[in-house]
Amino acid sequence: MGGLKEVLLEAMANETAFTIPIFGGIGISQSVVVSWLIMAVLMAVTLLLTHKLKVRDPGKVQIALECAVNFLNNFAHNNIGKHWRPFAPYLGTVALYIGFSNIIAIFGLTPPTKDVSVTAALAAMSLCVIYGAQFRYRGLVGGMKEFASPVWILAPINLMEVAVRPLALCMRLFGNILGAFIIMELIKYLMPVGVPAVASIYFDLFDGLIQMAVFVFLTAIFTGEGIKEEE
Amino acid sequence: MLEFHPVTIVLTIVNLLILYAFFRKFLFGRVNAVMEQRKAMIEKDLSEAEAENDRARQLQAEYEAKLSGADQEAAQIMADAKARAERAYEGRMAQAQADADLLTAEARARIRSEREAMLRGAKQEVAALAILAASKVAQRSMDDNDDRALVDSFLAEVGELR
């Protein structure tokens, strides 16, 4: 069973892809490299799809694109309220990045979201968006007061949430993707033929997309909670 | 497994910011702009169509007003023409009536005068015959005035008897 142990350890480890030999060596992890790859592909596809949009008589691809953007806008509007506009692009960016990161294992790459540092960065960004929006749209005093809502006695819990929310976002995403990745590695080790393809549909595709939706949805809801009633 | 690498965290945040800026400009910005443009275009088309409709309706009302005016005018003209024709007809009829009356009266007068002349002639003839007959009876001529007066009175008697 030595091989199995090795597989498990390898699945859990975050490899360093290469090291930049300055400041005593900056290790660039594999997750960052895969992220760059994902970003490059997303950017290239974006430029390809949006370089000639037409106001009149859009093509099928453009209609699909518009439907998706429209869906995103509606989603942001429903969950965030009237100040949804600046948040929709961020939510869409995070959705695309996490979505592709989660399902990249299908193409044989290591999902960046299996690295807790990446999910921590995503959660930190969500933290900034959620509480940044709260103070941006309510002012310093209003933002502070929001912590004492709906009643002042809940203030400790609300303050605790500042830490709990990003931690939960970070660990949920990381745990799900790492778990799915480990299970897939085990299946591949034990039954290399046939079963991985079927299991991959659930563990990589379905679970990955669900976790993406959960992350984006929670970020949107928390952001909306902070600024919604202000009308 | 649960090690936080500051480099990875920072790089991921930078990655996200770059990706966000890129998508904001080239994906969501462009698509939203196109959708806004289409919305504006449709709204413009709609308002234009509405304006056009209003104009058409206004024109229609104008034409209808004009048409009804024309109808009234036509009716007026017809009524005038009818009245004029009636007047002319009546005048013509009165003229004809008068002509006919005149003719009838003339004819009647002529007939009466002719009849009187005929009667007078017949009377004279009868008187002459009576005188001839009487002179034949009396075996003498009765052409003097006394006899004629006698015959005339006789004839008058006979006329009264009849």
Side-chain angles (χ1 to χ4, degrees), chain A residues 187-228:
Chain A
I187 292 174
K188 277 183 212 163
Y189 176 76
L190 295 173
M191 286 168 281
V193 181
V195 184
V198 180
S200 176
I201 293 173
Y202 179 83
F203 287 113
D204 289 336
L205 209 58
F206 181 70
D207 190 42
L209 293 178
I210 289 284
Q211 288 313 314
M212 177 271 281
V214 167
F215 191 97
V216 173
F217 195 56
L218 283 177
T219 302
I221 283 181
F222 292 155
T223 308
E225 247 176 37
I227 61 174
K228 213 173 190 178

Side-chain angles (χ1 to χ4, degrees), chain B residues 68-96:
Chain B
S68 77
D71 273 357
Q72 277 180 4
E73 212 169 307
Q76 185 66 45
I77 288 169
M78 280 290 281
D80 282 358
K82 214 178 264 181
R84 214 176 314 136
E86 206 131 299
R87 241 178 301 138
Y89 170 76
E90 265 165 22
R92 214 48 79 74
M93 279 300 278
Q95 184 70 43

Side-chain angles (χ1 to χ4, degrees), chain A residues 121-205:
Chain A
L122 283 164
M125 293 288 284
S126 286
L127 176 79
C128 291
V129 168
I130 292 166
Y131 292 102
Q134 184 172 323
F135 283 102
R136 160 74 179 75
Y137 289 105
R138 289 176 174 272
L140 190 60
V141 180
M144 288 296 190
K145 272 188 191 158
E146 184 61 25
F147 287 120
S149 77
V151 284
W152 63 270
I153 208 158
L154 288 177
I157 293 176
N158 283 332
L159 286 172
M160 220 154 68
E161 274 196 331
V162 177
V164 170
R165 278 172 173 176
L167 189 68
L169 284 174
C170 165
M171 289 306 167
R172 181 185 304 110
L173 184 57
F174 158 70
N176 270 284
I177 303 307
L178 180 69
F181 186 73
I182 290 174
I183 290 173
M184 280 308 299
E185 289 298 308
L186 286 180
I187 292 174
K188 277 183 212 163
Y189 176 76
L190 295 173
M191 286 168 281
V193 181
V195 184
V198 180
S200 176
I201 293 173
Y202 179 83
F203 287 113
D204 289 336
L205 209 58

